[in-house]
Amino acid sequence: MFKKKTDANYISARESRKISRENVKITRELDKRLSRKRVPESEYLTQMANPENVVEFDNLHTYFFTDVGTVKAVDGVTFEVPKGKTVGIVGESGCGKSVTSLSLMQLVQRPNGQIVEGSIRLNLGNKAYDVAKMPIDAMRQVRGNVVSMIFQEPMTSLNPVFRIGFQLDEVISLHNPQMSKEDVKRRSIEAIQMVGIPDAEGIYNRYPHELSGGMRQRIVIAMALACNPGLIIADEPTTALDVTIQAQILELLRKLKSEINASIMLITHDLGVIAEMADYVVVMYAGRVVEKGLANEVFLDPRHPYTIGLMESKPVINKAVDRLYSIPGSVPNPVNMPDYCYFSDRCEKCVERCAGKYPPEAHVSDTHIVSCWRYYNEKR
């Protein structure tokens, strides 16, 4: 006779089917809201909390509804990107950095992935939209025009069967239907020249596989900047490149940011890149913002135990160590997150009261905010 499984992580086929049926109902309702036609603009118009911000994430919750449960990939994220500034979002793989940016672009994989709560206020100058409420048709006019994204892997971002020029032309003509074919081509060649690629007309007629990794990444940047967006999301744009090309790409982003006066949302797990590029830093862990503030403040005086662990785990020049520091433990199960502080099980400074209910963010100062139960209790 077989012994019945009692493992907490085990889900029977019956339970999986039940979860699947419930998820279908939820995702169907959420999908209907985004797929509506001829939605009046008044339904997704909003007001910026601070007109000097280009985008504001306010208590954003983005979940993935799977057959084994609901994954809270982004669980109450709140931060803003000021105009003309670079905000670096740092954290380990799976902490919700990319899902946060994909939520802003409405590119979360549907129907499983859905924004279930919160708002994303996008500043268009004379008005503001709540991206979380925008229908798909309206979002197509914003995506690539007002907000654009540089994806992590250029070879999967570019279509291998179309020439570079065709793919650039498509972006420009989609948002500028009044432009002639000659003007669109001229603008595409200018975009290639802008990212520092020689022989722009020759590159215009080539296929992606004929270019090196660094040149493909520059083409992806050119596509992102072709319509002069107000916000550029760079999702680990240098991960697939060698160190020399990484430095060139970062310098290019810094130069182009000043030329078109855009804001950058830089997503990376490399603290060195953040230190070099960012004005503000947002540290994420397990779908939540655990610390945020000015880059100098966070780097010189990290407050949250996770941020301190990240700082200690990076190599330091002229400091000899036998082995780099490693944060102990592992991230909790994303399907069954605890109610208390997500990091308490891995925190070497954890005390008994850390196991209480996870508190709201503790405002340490106007610019340096940390979310930690231990710090919150000791410093208030």
Side-chain angles (χ1 to χ4, degrees), residues 3 38 47 57 71 90 97-98 108 130 132 155 184 193 216 235 240 278 283 287 291 307 341 347-348 350 373:
K3 186 179 179 181
R38 295 182 291 278
Q47 293 288 331
F57 294 88
V71 177
V90 65
K97 306 185 301 294
S98 295
V108 177
D130 186 350
M155 200 59 204
V184 169
Q193 292 171 338
R216 285 197 294 264
D235 187 1
V283 183
E291 187 164 359
T307 312
C341 175
C347 181
E348 296 176 342
C350 182
W373 190 228

Side-chain angles (χ1 to χ4, degrees), residues 120-135:
I120 307 173
R121 296 185 290 271
L122 181 63
N123 194 344
L124 303 181
N126 58 342
K127 56 187 175 182
Y129 286 160
D130 186 350
V131 173
K133 296 179 180 178
M134 289 181 67

